[in-house]
Every structure is written in C-alpha cells, then in structure tokens.
Amino acid sequence: MIPVLVLNAGSSSLKYQLIDMDDRSVTASGLVERIGEDAGRLEHRTPDTEPLVEEGKIPDHGAALDRVLAAFERTGGLAEAPFVVGHRVVHGGDRFSGPTVVDDDVLAEIRDLVPLAPLHNPANIAGIEVARSRFPDTPQVAVFDTAFHASMPPRAWRYALPRALADRLQVRRYGFHGASHAYVARQAAEHLGRPLAELDLVTLHLGNGASATAVAGGRSVDTSMGLTPLGGLVMGTRSGDLDPGIIAHLHREGGLDLDEIDGVLNKESGLKGLAGSNDLREVHRRADAGDADAVEALEVFCYRIRCTVGAYAAALGRLDAVVFTAGIGENDADVRARVCGGLAVLGVRLDEARNAARSREVRTISSDDSAVAVLVVPTDEELEIAEQSLAVVRANG
Ligand code: ADP
C-alpha cells in the first residue's frame, strides 16, 4: 500500500480522500461540513461499509481532522501515517509553478498570497497546519490550482493596465482548476492514443465553477479565469467576463458599494442571476416548462463556451480535440450539443447517439469524420493531487 491522503480545506469544510497509489483505488473519502458552526457534520465513506455520519459541533479544522482520523480508526484503512499528504491550495500566485513540498518558508509564502485569495488560501493553510501537527513526519505537498497555468505566455496573462500598478498589486491572469485541466488533458491523450506533447486541446471544466483552457503539448497557453475565479465563462452564481465599466456603473447608478458588487458578481449572477437557479438541471427543467429566462440563460451559457473554444482554436492555431469535464461537461448532452453545434466552422461534428449515451468512462462523442475529436473525460482532481504529491516527494528522494 502507498496511502496518500488528499485534503481540500474550505473555510468551513474539509474534504478528504485516502488513495492507495499502488492501484489508485480510493480507500475512503468524506466531507466535514459546517466547521465552526453549531451543527457540524462528518460523512465518511468506504467502498465496503455503510457511510458513517456524525453530527455535532466541530470547532475548527484541527477538530475536523481528529474526527476524520477517528472515523478511519473505526472503518480501517489508515493504520499508520499516510505516505504523503497532498493539499489543494487555490492560489500559488506567480511563485509556485508546480507541486511543492511544504516547509516553514513555503507556508509563509502561501500566507503572503492571501490577498490574492482571501477566502481560500487561509482555509488551505489551516488544512496544512493541522495535517503537519497530526503527521509531523509525513511530507506535506501543496498542489496549486493556478500552477498548471504558469506556462502561459505574457500575451495571455498580461492585462492592459498600467504596468507599474498591475505589477505592484500582482494583477494578472493566473487561472484555476489546474489539477482538473491537467488530468483530463493527459487522459484525453491516452484515450486518443497519441503523445500529449503533439496535441492541441481545449479543455472545458464545466461545474459550478467553469473554466476553459487552451492546452498545447500538455502545457496551458491560455485560460478563461483570471486574477480570481470570477472571470471567463458564465457559472452557477458567478458572472464570468463583463465589461469592466459595469463595476463603476453599478456603484454610481445603483448605489452599490464594493462589497455589495463583489457579492452580486460572485454569488447572485451567472445561471442564478439569469434563471433563478445555479443548478443547470433545474434551469433545464424550467426551460422545458417554457420559462423564457431559463431558455435564454441556457443560450447565454452555451454561447460563451462556444465563443471561447473558437478563440482558443485561434490561440492554438490548430485544434485536435475539445474535452468536456465536471458535473455539466460529463453529464449534460444538451449543453455539449449546443456548444459543438456552433463549431462546425472548425470541423467539429458530434455523433448524436454517442453524445446521448451515458457512461462514467472516457469516451469519444464526435463522429468518425469529425476533423476535431470531441471527448468526455470524467475529472478526478483528488487523484491528480495524489499523483503530483507522490511524484514530487519521490523526485526529492
Ligand atoms: P462543483 O464545481 O461544485 O464540483 P460539479 O462539477 O458537481 O460542481 O457540477 C455542478 C453542476 O453540474 C450543476 O450545475 C449541476 O446541475 C450539473 N450536473 C450535475 N449532474 C448532472 C447531470 N446528471 N446532468 C446534468 N447536469 C448535471
């Protein structure tokens, strides 16, 4: 067994997975929710036992990890310390371009990046600190959401702002969902039976958060999210790209202050703002029932994705495959059909029956005569974090 524990700490949650990297099987997984609130909850799952559910106050991330370890004691699977703990860290700024073994200096640098991700990095740091205290002899690795995009050229990451101002405040495109884009790009190459180094891909991670990445030879060369995960595609509750003038307009004419605008753009916009629900399944139901707002929301959502694929085909100069992943990308045949329906100009041809078939496997949904392959690849961010964590620890001896 090579047990690798993957931790994804949010401000009031701790998601975890224990993966045996011998055969890449999941030994156990779970989620602690409502940390710090009155009614906390742990749900711990293993392949062969009933889910273990515990409710009660869980004051902080330390207590959360202790509950998780107690759950492991009851269900088995973690007799000794894990071989490596891999942590999802949202923002690595321009400092971290790959998975990094955490020491005091690295932790201090992740802390320095808090202004770039004030909601996420503090929680990720809390996760690292408690895992270090419980497993002091186990290497801890930070895997950054931004790292995959560190390969973008300046023409893709540079915003046309005054250089000195942007540089002083570290304002540039960073991009997110890196583990997912990296994982599905590799899986796509394997499925196509071609070296990743030879492929030009557009990967579409369409979940509650959504982003597109142009991947040339396995490296990100452009991506739709920016300084923050607010930019780019239309999402569940996030607006995606806007005319930046709208922000001043909302302030001057709408009387909203900055925090209110931030709240509107992050939590009240996207599908929720357009159709009243952030869940695309619900938007479909409403559209099917004749709700005009929901019909339009679907069009806006898919049109933005289609235009982004077109832009990235131009950025890459060639396109071998479009890869759909995450909750919507893996499950929503209608969205895939709408996106690809507009891409005939690039030689994209979907096979209707392949697109409609449901499966958990990596699969091709384009027709045999399509100039561009269209694939559905289920993402696995935890496995990618585990792979990268193990690789960097082994590389460091
Ligand atoms: P997160 O970013 O929170 O991990 P997910 O990847 O789970 O999100 O994606 C959530 C989105 O996926 C929601 O809009 C949901 O409606 C959509 N989704 C999930 N399952 C399905 C399904 N079976 N069919 C259509 N859409 C789905």
Side-chain angles (χ1 to χ4, degrees), residues 72-372:
F72 272 114
E73 268 174 32
R74 288 169 59 185
T75 63
L78 192 60
E80 293 163 35
F83 187 69
V84 182
V85 183
H87 298 266
R88 179 182 193 181
V89 180
V90 166
H91 221 306
D94 58 9
R95 166 66 187 79
F96 296 104
S97 57
T100 305
V101 178
V102 176
D103 58 19
D104 290 339
D105 292 341
V106 167
L107 202 55
E109 288 183 88
I110 298 173
R111 202 168 275 119
D112 288 343
L113 295 167
V114 165
L116 288 174
L119 296 179
H120 294 109
N121 273 30
N124 303 151
I125 291 165
I128 294 173
E129 284 178 330
V130 300
R132 277 180 113 191
S133 78
R134 301 312 187 268
F135 302 116
D137 300 323
T138 299
Q140 313 282 328
V141 178
V143 177
F144 299 90
D145 262 24
T146 48
F148 182 56
H149 306 295
S151 48
M152 285 188 290
R155 65 183 183 205
W157 61 251
R158 174 78 68 187
Y159 292 125
L161 289 166
R163 200 175 276 278
L165 179 68
D167 288 350
R168 177 165 64 81
L169 297 176
Q170 298 172 280
V171 175
R172 49 161 286 179
R173 182 188 304 281
Y174 294 99
F176 299 87
H177 289 144
S180 180
H181 289 292
Y183 177 81
V184 301
R186 263 204 336 271
Q187 292 281 311
E190 198 168 296
H191 181 74
L192 293 169
R194 294 178 57 188
L196 184 56
E198 288 175 7
L199 290 175
D200 289 296
L201 310 171
V202 175
T203 51
L204 298 170
H205 178 107
L206 309 176
N208 265 314
S211 67
T213 298
V215 184
R219 295 159 63 84
S220 168
V221 294
D222 204 347
T223 194
S224 59
M225 284 177 167
L227 172 78
T228 72
L230 181 57
L233 305 179
V234 175
M235 308 182 212
T237 64
R238 290 176 238 160
S239 61
D241 282 355
L242 296 169
D243 168 2
I246 290 170
I247 293 172
H249 183 79
L250 291 177
H251 173 61
R252 287 198 200 103
E253 298 300 318
L256 281 73
D257 69 23
L258 266 185
D259 285 339
E260 287 168 333
I261 294 173
D262 206 37
V264 166
L265 299 183
N266 276 292
K267 298 189 183 131
E268 304 296 333
S269 297
L271 295 171
K272 185 178 177 197
L274 292 174
S277 171
N278 67 316
D279 188 320
L280 199 64
R281 282 168 293 192
E282 177 61 20
V283 179
H284 276 296
R285 277 192 283 276
R286 293 182 187 191
D288 292 344
D291 179 337
D293 291 347
V295 171
E296 191 193 65
L298 277 169
E299 284 175 6
V300 172
F301 180 81
C302 296
Y303 174 74
R304 180 84 56 89
I305 299 167
R306 187 222 298 181
C307 291
T308 304
V309 177
Y312 288 175
L316 291 162
R318 213 179 61 129
L319 185 60
D320 295 300
V322 177
V323 182
F324 285 89
T325 194
I328 296 166
E330 292 167 29
N331 295 299
D332 197 322
D334 179 59
V335 165
R336 295 192 301 252
R338 286 168 187 252
V339 170
C340 294
L343 295 172
V345 65
L346 300 177
V348 173
R349 287 186 58 149
L350 217 54
D351 181 292
E352 239 176 82
R354 289 176 187 168
N355 184 40
R358 302 193 64 85
S359 159
R360 292 292 307 151
E361 302 295 312
V362 180
R363 58 202 187 271
T364 300
I365 58 169
S366 45
S367 61
D368 293 337
D369 63 349
S370 182
V372 177

Side-chain angles (χ1 to χ4, degrees), residues 30-74:
L31 174 66
V32 187
E33 291 172 287
R34 301 195 289 272
I35 296 171
E37 296 174 28
D38 283 338
R41 184 173 190 277
L42 161 76
E43 184 164 332
H44 179 85
R45 292 175 172 274
T46 71
D48 27 54
T49 54
E50 285 292 299
L52 190 92
V53 177
E54 280 180 19
E55 292 182 343
K57 190 167 170 71
I58 301 169
D60 52 30
H61 285 82
L65 186 56
D66 289 338
R67 292 285 178 96
V68 173
L69 298 181
F72 272 114
E73 268 174 32
R74 288 169 59 185

